[in-house]
Structure formats: C-alpha cells, structure tokens
Amino acid sequence: MLKRFRSAFSAFHHKERYMSHEQEIAEKKYVVREITSEDIKDLLKLEREVYTGETPWPRSAFLTELHSSYSHLYLCVLYQNKIVAFIGGRVFFGDTHITHIAVHPDFQRLGIASFLLQEIEAFAYRQHCQTLSLEVRISNIDAKRLYRKSGYEAKKRLANYYRKGNEDALYMVKRVE
C-alpha cells in the first residue's frame, strides 16, 4: 500500500535536478542537459527535420510540459552546441509516460535514442514508477524495433491516434526494474 501511495504522490514531487554532463556515444562527445524554455525554437526546428516539415508539438505544448506541476524530465543532447536529440517524460500515478523523443536524421542509429531511453528509465526508477509507456506510429518500423529491443511490449492499437493521415498508434509499456 505504501509503495502505491508513494508512486501516486511522486507525480507531484518537487522537480529533480538533472546534472548537465558530457556523454560519449559512438565515439563522439555530446552534452546532455535539461531542456529550457529558451530551447523551444531549436526543438521545433529539429521536429521539422525529423518529421518531414511537420511540428507535432507546438511551442505551447512544450511550455506546458516544461512548467507542469507533475514530476517530469525533458532532456536534450547537443553536438557542437546544436541540439541533435531530445526526450521528455512525465510521471503520473506510477507511470512515466514518454511524451516525445526525436533524433536528428544525421544522428540516428548511433545509440543516442537508446541512451535517452535509459536516462528516462533511470528517472522513472527514482520516481518509484512501476511502468514506462509511450505511443508510436504503426508505420515507424525502426522506432518499434528500438522500443522492443529496449524491453517495451505492445499493449494495444490506438485507432486514428495521429491526426496527420489518421494513422494508428501502438501503445507500448515497459516494467521498471
């Protein structure tokens, strides 16, 4: 019972500080740090590059998440002072929901997304969450492969989840160990 209460309460915990640091991934040095409001312009630019001209999240969505009272973690990865990847997760009643993950096309398949997933999983563990969850486009074969390799299991198909093309999503969950 206490564990269940603690995980429900963790949704409203004080904001944990993430320490900015250098990280070597695939023999390149990156800087990993928390996202700030000043980064949103660069995040929108990255979204356009990743999602072929689209911006799935407007500026207001990023601002809402960054200033949410729910416990959350939004990280970016910089290479030569340019944001090349980011991830976000929000805690809600024992689940850390991954709200967004994007890696610039020139930096995909280097292990950056796997690293970011591990950082969010460590955050979920510290928040006493039992699960991590996310949605992914049915057509995104590479992302689904990465998530399965990272231990996520498909739980259900969400019909017409994405507005563009009315594409279905796959809801995936991983147990926090």
Side-chain angles (χ1 to χ4, degrees):
M1 181 68 164
L2 178 61
K3 186 175 182 180
R4 192 175 290 165
F5 173 76
R6 239 188 359 214
S7 69
F9 180 72
S10 72
F12 302 102
H13 265 191
H14 67 282
K15 176 108 173 55
E16 157 182 326
R17 297 292 303 153
Y18 183 89
M19 299 302 294
S20 175
H21 65 278
E22 273 195 5
Q23 180 71 39
E24 187 171 318
I25 305 170
E27 299 178 16
K28 288 185 181 178
K29 290 201 186 278
Y30 299 90
V31 172
V32 183
R33 65 168 173 78
E34 281 192 75
I35 291 173
T36 68
S37 298
E38 291 78 35
D39 295 321
I40 294 175
K41 180 180 173 186
D42 292 332
L43 299 177
L44 293 170
K45 181 180 178 193
L46 179 58
E47 276 191 324
R48 281 188 211 89
E49 293 172 5
V50 171
Y51 300 109
T52 57
E54 297 292 317
T55 53
W57 272 28
R59 176 180 177 75
S60 60
F62 281 109
L63 284 170
T64 297
E65 286 296 315
L66 292 176
H67 299 290
S68 172
S69 61
Y70 289 104
S71 187
H72 61 276
L73 181 63
Y74 279 78
L75 299 176
C76 61
V77 175
L78 293 91
Y79 182 71
Q80 298 178 346
N81 295 319
K82 179 184 172 194
I83 295 177
V84 297
F86 69 92
I87 192 168
R90 174 187 347 109
V91 175
F92 192 71
F93 292 102
D95 177 64
T96 296
H97 184 74
I98 297 173
T99 59
H100 212 106
I101 182 168
V103 178
H104 189 283
D106 293 344
F107 291 84
Q108 292 178 1
R109 294 185 175 82
L110 298 176
I112 295 171
S114 294
F115 166 77
L116 288 172
L117 288 170
Q118 290 169 3
E119 292 295 286
I120 287 291
E121 185 171 350
F123 168 74
Y125 179 81
R126 291 188 305 273
Q127 296 295 308
H128 308 288
C129 290
Q130 289 84 43
T131 57
L132 289 135
S133 63
L134 56 83
E135 295 90 15
V136 60
R137 285 183 181 274
I138 290 292
S139 64
N140 195 338
I141 306 299
D142 291 337
K144 290 189 305 188
R145 185 178 305 123
L146 170 67
Y147 300 143
R148 283 188 178 106
K149 182 179 168 189
S150 299
Y152 289 80
E153 295 179 13
K155 293 297 181 183
K156 62 183 167 183
R157 188 178 186 125
L158 306 171
N160 301 318
Y161 185 81
Y162 294 100
R163 279 183 249 150
K164 185 180 179 190
N166 292 324
E167 188 173 354
D168 293 353
L170 196 58
Y171 179 73
M172 301 183 82
V173 175
K174 178 179 181 175
R175 300 280 316 154
V176 176
E177 303 291 328

